[in-house]
Amino acid sequence: MTYRIDPQFIAEQNTRAHQQLQSDYEALAGVLSRRGCDIETLTRQAQAFAVALPSWGVGTGGTRFARFPGHGEPRNVFDKIDDCGTIHQLTRVTPGVSLHFPWDRTTDARALREAATRLGLHFDAVNSNTFQDAAGQAHSYKFGSLTALDPEVRAQAVAHNIDCIELGHALGSKGLTVWIGDGANFPGQSNLRGALERYLESMRAIYAALPSDWLVFIEHKLFEPAFYATTIADWGTSFACATELGPKAKCLVDLGHHAPNTNIEMIVARLAQFGKLGGFHFNDSKYGDDDLDSGSINPFQLFLVFNELRDAAGRDGQAFSPAYMLDQSHNVTDPIESLMISAVEVQRAYVQAALVDTQALSHHQMNNDALMAAQTLKQAFRTDVSAILAMARYRCGGAIDPVALYRASAYRDHKREERPAVRGSSSSGIV
Ligand code: RM4
Ligand code: MN
Ligand code: MN
């Protein structure tokens, strides 16, 4: 028997916090109604919002210098699913889990799917991994995978991606995210155009293996591990490749994969305009692909991204449904706590964006009133919507204060008993 937080315990903890929440909620309702916003509509929107968890995020991450493991870490994909279930149980905003193969490889897809279903979870896009060598594989990816010069290496990388599709299909997933580390560390090392031609040839084979209701997400990244020229470095390359491949290919934006100060919200607007925005990997960063907790460094950027998403949803309606996922590495915090806070921060940005007075905004834009247009966005961003988020959780059976409840439950101590450390467990991945 694995330890799970008792719903009765959640109810008891919530009883203590409920009165305070109710009065905060009523105060906020008053503020919002003076602005013509109905708090109940916003709370329902918050309840319907979801962001998927990265299976690799529930283990302690590491840098390329070291990893400092925590206690009671998940030892395999079933443990990871358990932790994801706990995050969803308390936050009610993370019903999806994004798996990473071969890290999460299982020989019993049915058991894994059943375990997830029992916890109210489903599987979001699956991720392939050709940026490191798996034990026992025939060919090395040292000099590239989907773009490698050696056709046998490319064939192996393509086969791995097709394998991910098959496994994902058995798990009820509907998408494959492809991020490759391919590129060059030296000028001249690789023919830049030739590498992209080989990439497209490989991706065409992967695309051909997609089930009819699947999408493939192309994830770009400026640098690392290639430090001179990354093959899929930017959204332009990603967009060109997705266009070449066809309608089932879309672009995935990882917030950490751009040069500092890049206007990511504009990338969002561009990809949405041309129907190629497939999804997100949310995280935050100060310098590069830091994989810090969402909203911890630049919450205003996160809000501005959601402001563009709100605009796209307003224009395109149901047709616009990008996949939202977290992609983070937790090195100095309890990953469960970081993921709970991060999921709520993403949800917060979504609700804040829903608060934007769009009529006032377009009025100010029409009048070239830059100052008031900016203030209109700031008003939404500055609004503390915490009570809406807490009420949304409470009404769905989650925790009013997820981190306080998690700590009070001593979940990690229970897991420490249940999960004695295993050397070389999959949680010792690079993230
Ligand atoms: C990459 C990228 C991918 C993630 C790997 C672990 O930088 O963000 O999405 O799967 O890291
Ligand atoms: Mn990513
Ligand atoms: Mn990354």
Side-chain angles (χ1 to χ4, degrees):
M1 268 303 279
T2 58
Y3 170 76
R4 300 223 56 80
I5 298 175
D6 187 346
Q8 187 59 36
F9 183 68
I10 299 178
E12 282 162 20
Q13 298 284 313
N14 279 349
T15 308
R16 297 187 190 187
H18 181 252
Q19 206 179 344
Q20 182 68 56
L21 170 61
Q22 189 63 36
S23 80
D24 289 351
Y25 190 74
E26 280 163 21
L28 181 58
V31 171
L32 295 179
S33 94
R34 283 197 295 282
R35 287 194 220 157
C37 289
D38 173 33
I39 196 166
E40 287 300 318
T41 307
L42 291 162
T43 307
R44 277 196 298 279
Q45 287 176 321
Q47 284 176 233
F49 182 79
V51 58
L53 295 169
S55 65
W56 58 102
V58 286
T60 303
T63 66
R64 66 178 185 279
F65 301 102
R67 190 180 93 89
F68 300 97
H71 299 297
E73 289 194 346
R75 301 155 303 175
N76 54 49
V77 66
F78 287 89
D79 287 352
K80 291 180 190 177
I81 290 300
D82 263 348
D83 286 355
C84 291
T86 298
I87 294 166
H88 183 52
Q89 182 186 25
L90 301 186
T91 64
R92 300 290 161 158
V93 70
T94 59
V97 179
S98 190
L99 296 178
H100 218 304
F101 301 129
W103 295 340
D104 297 323
R105 196 151 201 21
T106 174
T107 47
D108 197 344
R110 180 197 280 213
L112 184 58
R113 197 173 177 173
E114 282 171 6
T117 308
R118 272 197 298 278
L119 297 169
L121 303 172
H122 65 265
F123 292 105
D124 210 297
V126 293
N127 299 261
S128 59
N129 178 344
T130 60
F131 48 83
Q132 63 182 170
D133 289 344
Q137 77 182 42
H139 307 282
S140 172
Y141 296 132
K142 180 168 182 177
F143 295 106
S145 59
L146 295 178
T147 77
L149 284 161
D150 182 341
E152 288 188 25
V153 178
R154 291 203 302 278
Q156 176 183 278
V158 167
H160 166 66
N161 276 275
I162 294 175
D163 195 38
C164 289
I165 294 172
E166 282 163 10
L167 197 44
H169 190 59
L171 291 167
S173 202
K174 293 266 182 269
L176 170 72
T177 300
V178 182
W179 173 72
I180 54 167
D182 295 36
N185 272 0
F186 291 88
Q189 179 187 335
S190 159
N191 181 289
L192 301 182
R193 179 162 163 175
L196 192 61
E197 283 167 356
R198 291 189 294 279
Y199 173 80
L200 276 170
E201 180 193 295
S202 298
M203 285 297 283
R204 280 192 192 102
I206 296 167
Y207 188 95
L210 290 172
S212 59
D213 57 348
W214 269 54
L215 295 174
V216 61
F217 300 125
I218 299 175
E219 181 178 0
H220 63 273
K221 174 165 160 170
L222 183 66
F223 79 110
E224 197 193 21
F227 288 110
Y228 165 66
T230 291
T231 306
I232 310 296
D234 52 25
W235 75 272
T237 310
S238 173
F239 179 78
C241 292
T243 305
E244 279 284 309
L245 288 171
K248 287 193 269 178
K250 305 249 185 194
C251 306
L252 185 134
V253 178
D254 182 314
L255 295 189
H257 289 189
H258 307 88
N261 300 323
T262 296
N263 187 335
I264 299 175
E265 57 272 25
M266 198 155 84
I267 294 174
V268 173
R270 295 288 181 269
L271 290 175
Q273 179 171 355
F274 298 109
K276 283 294 186 191
L277 184 65
F280 282 88
H281 276 177
F282 290 111
N283 49 53
D284 213 340
S285 61
K286 180 77 177 159
Y287 302 106
D289 190 23
D290 309 329
D291 283 321
L292 299 176
D293 291 13
S294 295
S296 62
I297 304 284
N298 195 349
F300 190 50
Q301 174 182 263
L302 188 59
F303 163 78
L304 292 173
V305 163
F306 271 97
N307 185 48
E308 291 309 320
L309 293 169
R310 173 198 56 70
D311 184 79
R315 290 164 185 270
D316 303 337
Q318 298 285 333
F320 183 71
S321 60
Y324 297 145
M325 293 165 267
L326 295 168
D327 179 8
Q328 304 184 162
S329 176
H330 313 105
N331 305 337
V332 295
T333 54
D334 181 322
I336 290 181
E337 296 187 1
S338 267
L339 285 165
M340 291 196 296
I341 295 274
S342 302
V344 171
E345 285 308 293
V346 174
Q347 186 188 32
R348 180 189 306 280
Y350 166 77
V351 174
Q352 286 172 322
L355 267 178
V356 171
D357 184 343
T358 51
Q359 271 188 347
L361 183 62
S362 41
H363 173 80
H364 298 316
Q365 288 172 347
M366 293 295 287
N367 289 302
N368 291 317
D369 191 342
L371 187 128
M372 285 311 294
Q375 288 306 308
T376 303
L377 290 187
K378 273 288 179 67
Q379 184 192 46
F381 173 67
R382 278 195 305 256
T383 308
D384 182 359
V385 298
S386 302
I388 293 177
L389 308 178
M391 190 58 88
R393 287 192 294 277
Y394 175 69
R395 289 186 183 169
C396 295
I400 290 175
D401 185 341
V403 170
L405 195 146
Y406 170 77
R407 290 188 176 191
S409 77
Y411 181 92
R412 192 58 81 187
D413 293 336
H414 286 100
K415 295 301 158 188
R416 184 182 188 157
E417 299 293 311
E418 284 172 18
R419 303 171 178 170
V422 177
R423 278 180 72 84
S425 79
S426 58
S427 62
S428 60
I430 53 136
V431 291

